[in-house]
Amino acid sequence: MIRPPQIDPAAGRLEAVGFPSPAADYSEMGISLDRSLIEHPEATFFFRAAGGALEEAGIFDGDLLVVDRSITPGPGHVVVAVADGEFVIRRFRELAARDFSEVTVWGVVRWAIHRLCPSP
């Protein structure tokens, strides 16, 4: 039987009684998107996607992109690149096929975060 919390009049505080929660050890850690999404903080930047050119990759207009500059780009990666002086988001393999006069890969997109609930 679980009893309600009791007040310790001498200390003026609440004291929980009964079975301790198995999650109690983790309750003070909280949720940190930094710890969950970022492996290399010194090389990680955020971008906002514009347009829907990469919807097949799960990236939609307005998504928040987590871009890591420490990753070497390779096949299958979505990258942020500077192409002819402008930032673009493309599949790594598409950069070679496109007819840009100058292309530099800036970083690899690790995460795309998009809103599921519309703004009020």
Side-chain angles (χ1 to χ4, degrees):
M1 176 176 159
I2 299 175
R3 296 180 295 174
Q6 299 175 345
I7 297 176
D8 179 354
R13 61 186 169 97
L14 288 174
E15 184 174 300
V17 293
F19 189 109
S21 169
D25 292 343
Y26 301 100
S27 65
E28 292 182 13
M29 292 178 62
I31 296 172
S32 169
L33 289 178
D34 288 354
R35 283 194 311 263
S36 299
L37 304 179
I38 299 172
E39 286 185 29
H40 308 106
E42 68 288 344
T44 299
F45 297 85
F46 296 100
F47 280 76
R48 184 73 65 186
L54 282 174
E55 289 184 359
E56 51 81 24
I59 298 174
F60 302 93
D61 186 41
D63 282 0
L64 179 65
L65 305 177
V66 180
V67 179
D68 190 331
R69 297 195 74 186
S70 68
I71 298 173
T72 301
H77 284 152
V78 174
V79 298
V80 171
V82 180
D84 295 337
E86 294 187 27
F87 281 107
V88 296
I89 303 167
R90 296 284 189 277
R91 291 267 186 200
F92 181 66
R93 61 175 153 61
E94 293 174 350
L95 288 174
R98 292 285 182 123
D99 192 24
F100 296 115
S101 60
E102 185 176 336
V103 177
T104 304
V105 174
W106 197 86
V108 174
V109 178
R110 290 186 53 88
W111 296 93
I113 302 168
H114 58 267
R115 180 185 296 270
L116 296 178
C117 180
S119 298

